[in-house]
Amino acid sequence: MSSITVTNLHKTYKLGKIPVPVLRGVSMEVASGEWVAILGASGSGKSTLLHLLGGLDKPNEGEIAYDGKALSSMSSSQINQFRRNHVGFVFQFYHLVPELTVIENTLLGAMIRLGRVGYMRESGTLKDAARELLGKAGLSHRLTHKPSQLSGGERQRVAIARALINDPPVLLADEPTGNLDQKTGHELLDVFESMRGNTKRTIVMVTHDQKVADRADRVVEMADGRIREVHPTG
Ligand code: ADP
Ligand code: MG
């Protein structure tokens, strides 16, 4: 369970000496267990915002708090630890390791969280958990395949299983269907939905596709560096 409070977030990149303002005062609330879609055109700053939410980068101004605890109050190592334990990421281009099998890719998140020794100690339980997640993702028959032997939709389902292996309360998804055709994309969102489970994971998904955004509980729009509009979906 985790709520997210974003307050007046500013982020400006520098191109040489020229400042490029991307986020200009983003504020939003995500309730614990809520699935929010952030809809915005390409270049509107969606990935930038998601990186800040995941503590992968820092804002110039403003604050992000999980359950009231501000990321800015944590040291870098505390943020890294927070991310390992609390946040799962899904990216547009899957980012699977080509040399590893489906189940090994899924287990990677747990290896990173636990370290080698910790992982070895729990590997039996973790492998069971990975098989179960991959089963829910419809990939039971693909456990020992390599990513190159999978379709795009299947690769992204592996990426979801990997993101969830640590059972994070928060899932951040950056254009998770952006590289998939419409039908495959919606099947993937079905997997998303089924994997929310009873734990009611908080999901923030960014997309440029209205139909994809409409699958969430709530849609907000990003434009001119701010969150502009809020409207419920049907
Ligand atoms: P989106 O994900 O909505 O397409 P991004 O957050 O990737 O948008 O990018 C928003 C803007 O910030 C774009 O104009 C992009 O070129 C610029 N940008 C993103 N990352 C960097 C960076 N590391 N350095 C400079 N400019 C960047
Ligand atoms: Mg992007």
Side-chain angles (χ1 to χ4, degrees):
M1 302 284 277
S2 194
S3 67
I4 311 172
T5 308
V6 176
T7 314
N8 194 30
L9 221 53
H10 287 254
K11 181 71 183 177
T12 297
Y13 293 112
K14 283 224 168 81
L15 271 184
K17 285 187 176 167
I18 304 164
V20 182
V22 177
L23 306 183
R24 309 192 217 195
V26 169
S27 296
M28 66 184 294
E29 287 269 350
V30 184
S32 182
E34 194 178 22
W35 177 2
V36 171
I38 299 172
L39 182 64
S42 176
S44 62
K46 303 183 298 296
S47 295
T48 300
L49 176 58
L50 219 56
H51 287 153
L52 295 177
L53 288 179
L56 295 168
D57 197 0
K58 292 202 162 116
N60 300 106
E61 199 186 318
E63 199 137 86
I64 296 160
Y66 285 86
D67 289 329
K69 182 155 174 58
L71 290 183
S72 61
S73 72
M74 301 183 201
S75 67
S76 298
S77 70
Q78 284 173 325
I79 289 176
N80 289 339
Q81 190 183 358
F82 170 81
R83 187 186 316 112
R84 282 196 295 269
N85 291 317
H86 284 79
V87 184
F89 284 95
V90 177
F91 302 99
Q92 178 176 355
F93 296 107
Y94 329 126
H95 294 315
L96 301 177
V97 179
E99 293 82 5
L100 300 182
T101 65
V102 164
I103 191 162
E104 288 165 348
N105 266 288
T106 304
L107 288 164
L108 209 53
M111 289 181 197
I112 291 166
R113 178 172 59 94
L114 295 166
R116 188 179 167 77
V117 175
Y119 173 77
M120 295 301 267
R121 216 167 14 229
E122 293 184 39
S123 72
T125 321
L126 289 166
K127 281 178 187 161
D128 288 345
R131 278 189 210 99
E132 191 184 330
L133 277 172
L134 290 164
K136 283 189 191 161
L139 292 169
S140 291
H141 57 306
R142 293 271 188 266
L143 298 185
T144 57
H145 286 64
K146 299 274 173 66
S148 62
Q149 299 170 299
L150 305 178
S151 70
E154 287 172 328
R155 288 181 206 189
Q156 195 61 304
R157 283 186 265 148
V158 178
I160 293 176
R162 178 188 55 192
L164 299 183
I165 188 70
N166 292 328
D167 199 20
V170 177
L171 184 63
L172 302 178
D174 192 348
E175 306 261 11
T177 63
N179 208 37
L180 307 174
D181 64 67
Q182 193 171 326
K183 178 168 174 289
T184 310
H186 280 278
E187 284 166 5
L188 186 94
L189 294 167
D190 292 340
V191 173
F192 245 70
E193 215 161 270
S194 72
M195 287 196 168
R196 291 174 82 181
N198 303 322
T199 54
K200 279 299 213 166
R201 190 168 282 126
T202 307
I203 304 177
V204 179
M205 172 182 79
V206 306
T207 178
H208 66 273
D209 184 333
Q210 176 84 54
K211 285 206 178 87
V212 169
D214 283 343
R215 294 288 302 266
D217 300 330
R218 186 159 64 89
V219 182
V220 301
E221 277 181 18
M222 192 146 149
D224 304 323
R226 292 192 186 87
I227 297 292
R228 191 173 59 175
E229 235 180 86
V230 185
H231 50 90
T233 61

